[in-house]
Structures are given as structure tokens and as C-alpha cells.
Amino acid sequence: MQSPPNAPPGSSSGTSSKGLAWGPELILVAAGGALGASLRALTYRSLEWPLDLSLGASTIETTALETLTLNLIGALLLGMLFAALRRRSSAPWLRPFLAVGVLGSYTTYSALIVETRLIVGEQGAIAGIVLVLSSLLLGILAFVLGERLLEVPLEARARRGRDGA
Amino acid sequence: MEPEWLAIAAGGALGAVMRAGLIRLVAARSAGEAMAGLRFGPALATLLANTLGCLLIGLWIGGVVQWPAGLSSVPVELFVLTGVCGGLTTFSTLCADAVSLGRERGGWTSIAYLLVTLLAGAAAFNLWLGRLG
């Protein structure tokens, strides 16, 4: 059963159209999830020092900024991945490993909620609403940007292929 | 490998597998329905995963869910919070689902989906507040 063309490739709507059994698929998801979470922790650590140094802000604010950074990176990369997967018939391991596993695990929604709650406690409701709404908006923009970044050169290459054939 | 990194990786693996399980569960239940049901499927799975992750983190911070005493606490915290909750919830797929819904069913559906995600996540996270008074 073919996935609907607009269905996010990172999810299986109906049976896996590429024929991955659930065992191997879960292993790929697990491996990607392990990698994504590790990269996320690494990102927090990498950003911690420069952010604290330059902003001198409270821990909650720097953590929220770090979360936003990695979430936007993840959204951007996922947009690129989805654009790539739409273009070419892909290796079946890419979706479960990269989309569901790595990027799904690299980005986090629970941290956003926790940090919003803490920001609300520290700076009031408006600050919390601003954080969470701008995170979502920027995330969507990052995702669409990721799609565009890949679609433009891929489309150009396809057009050259057709013209040159 | 240091225990901290092992805890994070293991938790991330488990969280992602739980999320993948939810995706399959929702897809299986909507497989027999019309196209409309299928298109909601992925977004619903993400919503469930994100809400569940917020519930878990809230219960953990609130002390309702605890690891048995006697086990080292730092790797356990990393396993549950950074690992499982971080892996179970996702921001990237959330954005992808919102964009998908927006393209297939219009902007208002997308906005509604994001609002429900927000409210459900916040409510789930704060659930323990009510229980502990």
C-alpha cells in the first residue's frame, strides 16, 4: 500500500510501503534514537559555555535558547530530508533511522514545555507564551526552509537532466 | 562508555521506539478508514507521543514516578529525562506534521493542531501539581 504523497515520510501511514519488517525498523529507530539523544546532549554541552559567557543570562534562559537552537536545526534538517525522500525512491532505512530516530530524538518537545513553565514562573505568562509560540513558528519556518533548500537544486538538476536527454 | 552517555543513548533509543510504536499503532487503527483518517494519523501519533512525554517528565519531576531507591540517581535522571522523554517527544516531526496538515487541510487545522499540542502538553506536564496539592 503506497503512502499518500503528502504523508510525512517519517511515519508509516498504513503498511510500510518499502517492505521493512517491524523488527529491523525498530532496530533502526532505536539506533537513530540513541544517536539523536546523544547528539542533543552534546549540543547542550557545546552551547553551554559560549552562551553563558556572552549572554550572562540565567540558566533557564540559556537552556531555553539551547533547546530552541537544536530544535530549529532538527526542523531544518528534517525539511531537507523530506524533500530528498520525495524526490528519489529512497533506501528504506533512511526514514526510520534518520527521520523517526535521529531527528525525532534530537529534537525535543518536553524540554520546551518544561522551560516554558519555568520561564512563566520567573518572568510571567507573556514571556512563556512568547517563547513557546515563537519556537513553533520558527520551527515551521525552519522546516519549510529546509525543504526549499533541497528542492531548488534538485529541481534544477532534474530540469537539466530533462533538457540534456 | 561512561554511564551518563550510556544512559542518554539507551533512553533515547527507548523513547524513539515508543514513539515509533505509537506511529504504527495509530496507522494500524486508521488503515481501514478513508484517506482523511490516514492523513491525520501521523500527526495524531506525534501528538500522543509529545503529550505522553510531557506527562512522564511532569510525573518524574513531581516525584510521582520514581526509580527504586538504591540506584545511582544521575544516570537514572539522564535516562528518563534526557533519554526517554527527549526521545519520545519530538519537535521536528511536530513541525512537519503542522506543515502537512496546513497543506492538506488548511491553515486553521494546522493552528488547531499546534494549540491542542500546546494545551495537552502543558496540562500533562502540570498534572502532578493537582495530585500533590
Side-chain angles (χ1 to χ4, degrees), chain A residues 63-114:
Chain A
T63 309
L65 206 53
E66 289 155 11
T67 302
L68 181 62
T69 301
L70 61 87
N71 274 344
L72 293 185
I73 290 173
L76 180 80
L77 290 175
L78 190 64
M80 294 174 67
L81 180 63
F82 276 19
L85 291 177
R86 271 196 290 268
R87 278 280 171 175
R88 37 173 63 230
S89 65
S90 54
W93 59 270
L94 277 176
R95 293 176 188 184
F97 180 71
L98 278 186
V100 180
V102 176
L103 293 177
S105 192
Y106 181 70
T107 61
T108 169
Y109 179 73
S110 55
L112 174 62
I113 290 294
V114 172

Side-chain angles (χ1 to χ4, degrees), chain A residues 37-51:
Chain A
S38 305
L39 289 175
R40 176 163 34 88
L42 199 61
T43 304
Y44 277 117
R45 287 195 190 193
S46 309
L47 291 175
E48 195 86 359
W49 184 72
L51 272 185

Side-chain angles (χ1 to χ4, degrees), chain B residues 21-117:
Chain B
L22 282 172
I23 291 172
R24 277 200 172 252
L25 193 70
V26 170
R29 289 182 69 85
S30 61
E33 293 169 14
M35 283 295 283
L38 281 173
R39 283 174 180 161
F40 270 125
L44 179 60
T46 305
L47 173 61
L48 289 175
N50 279 340
T51 306
L52 191 60
C54 291
L55 178 69
L56 183 58
I57 205 169
L59 292 179
W60 182 267
I61 292 176
V64 176
V65 169
Q66 284 172 3
W67 201 260
L71 290 174
S72 170
S73 66
V74 169
V76 168
E77 285 251 323
L78 290 175
F79 175 78
V80 175
L81 299 183
T82 308
V84 177
C85 294
L88 176 58
T89 64
T90 170
F91 182 83
S92 55
T93 316
L94 172 64
C95 295
D97 290 334
V99 170
S100 259
L101 282 176
R103 287 174 180 156
E104 291 167 14
R105 297 180 159 267
W108 290 116
T109 306
S110 182
I111 289 171
Y113 172 67
L114 290 172
L115 279 180
V116 169
T117 299

